């Protein structure tokens, strides 16, 4: 009787086998990829926005340094051929000043547009002056192949410092500045010009 009781009181482990997992790969796993991918996408979007903000900031002209306009009109620069020219001769009529270089693709792309603007508006008093941040030999070679109707003067490496005084903090090219007839800066733009921008500037003077 005791034996029967003992047998009946034992857990019935033989009839309820414990399931065994022979291979860990069969265990259900929670994929970590979606959260990681979402994190990477979020970081990428943040970086893109930061890059766009930086690019926008770099293309926004800063303020003109005190005395920059007065110093500009005192300068004398040379033509690509070596002749000295006083910038004061351009004062008294609206002036579009364009910093450019032969090694700058967007500069070269906008030159025909500037030439057209000069042809259409010079009779109305508009002047254009190109300041080449370049070597004189390179500019002479370029002009011999691509003649321009408006004058070009050599700013050389000092042109970067001059453009920074006028609000081009990064010193990038092209950089354009519009002076009023009385010699004050009206507006400026960092980067390649557009026909729309030139059309809006035409009405400033």
């Amino acid at each position: 009787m005791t034996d029967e009781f003992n047998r009946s009181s034992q857990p019935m482990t033989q009839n309820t086998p414990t399931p065994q997992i022979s291979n860990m790969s069969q265990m259900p796993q929670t994929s970590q990829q979606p959260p990681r991918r979402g994190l990477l996408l979020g970081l990428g979007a943040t970086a893109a926005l930061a890059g766009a903000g930086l690019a926008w900031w770099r293309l926004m002209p800063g303020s003109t340094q005190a005395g920059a306009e007065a110093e500009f009109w005192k300068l004398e620069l040379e033509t690509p051929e070596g002749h000295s020219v006083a910038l004061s001769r351009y004062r008294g009529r609206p002036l579009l000043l364009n910093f450019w270089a032969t090694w700058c693709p967007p500069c070269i792309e906008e030159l025909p547009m500037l030439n057209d603007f000069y042809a259409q508006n010079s009779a109305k008093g508009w002047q254009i002056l190109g300041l080449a941040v370049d070597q004189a030999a390179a500019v002479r070679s370029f002009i011999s192949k691509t003649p321009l109707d408006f004058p070009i003067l050599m700013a050389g490496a000092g042109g970067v410092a001059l453009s920074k005084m006028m609000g081009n903090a990064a010193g990038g090219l092209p950089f354009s500045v519009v002076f009023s007839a009385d010699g004050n800066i009206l507006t400026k733009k960092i980067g390649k010009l557009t026909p729309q921008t030139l059309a809006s500037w035409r009405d400033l003077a």
Side-chain angles (χ1 to χ4, degrees):
M1 185 67 176
T2 301
D3 293 342
E4 293 178 359
F5 175 78
N6 291 338
R7 285 193 300 271
S8 64
S9 63
Q10 297 295 321
M12 298 180 66
T13 57
Q14 295 180 355
N15 296 330
T16 57
T18 302
Q20 300 294 320
I21 299 178
S22 60
N23 191 339
M24 292 298 291
S25 65
Q26 296 176 1
M27 295 181 63
Q29 299 181 5
T30 302
S31 173
Q32 297 299 318
Q33 186 62 23
R36 181 178 178 84
R37 184 179 182 184
L39 176 62
L40 292 175
L41 290 174
L43 291 174
T46 302
L49 288 173
L54 178 60
W56 176 83
W57 176 84
R58 287 173 63 88
L59 293 176
M60 288 297 295
S63 58
T64 303
Q65 294 182 17
E69 294 155 326
E71 289 300 318
F72 171 76
W73 293 114
K74 294 177 183 177
L75 293 176
E76 289 190 7
L77 300 177
E78 292 186 349
T79 67
E81 294 74 28
H83 306 297
S84 182
V85 175
L87 297 187
S88 58
R89 67 180 296 179
Y90 297 101
R91 193 166 185 170
R93 292 188 293 159
L95 171 68
L96 197 168
L97 182 68
N98 180 253
F99 291 82
W100 71 289
T102 60
W103 43 262
C104 165
C107 299
I108 302 305
E109 291 171 5
E110 72 179 9
L111 284 177
M113 193 187 326
L114 285 169
N115 211 47
D116 289 342
F117 181 87
Y118 180 72
Q120 296 166 10
N121 297 281
S122 60
K124 302 173 185 177
W126 270 97
Q127 307 172 99
I128 294 183
L129 176 61
L131 289 191
V133 185
D134 211 325
Q135 299 290 327
V139 175
R140 286 196 301 268
S141 176
F142 176 84
I143 294 177
S144 67
K145 300 172 185 175
T146 311
L148 297 170
D149 296 328
F150 57 87
I152 301 293
L153 295 179
M154 301 303 305
V160 174
L162 180 60
S163 72
K164 287 183 177 182
M165 290 177 61
M166 295 182 181
N168 183 14
L173 296 177
F175 177 57
S176 300
V177 183
V178 174
F179 287 87
S180 64
D182 59 5
N184 296 317
I185 292 178
L186 294 175
T187 189
K188 46 201 164 183
K189 177 179 173 59
I190 301 172
K192 183 180 174 181
L193 294 169
T194 65
Q196 292 78 15
T197 298
L198 288 175
S200 67
W201 287 358
R202 183 182 56 227
D203 299 329
L204 291 177

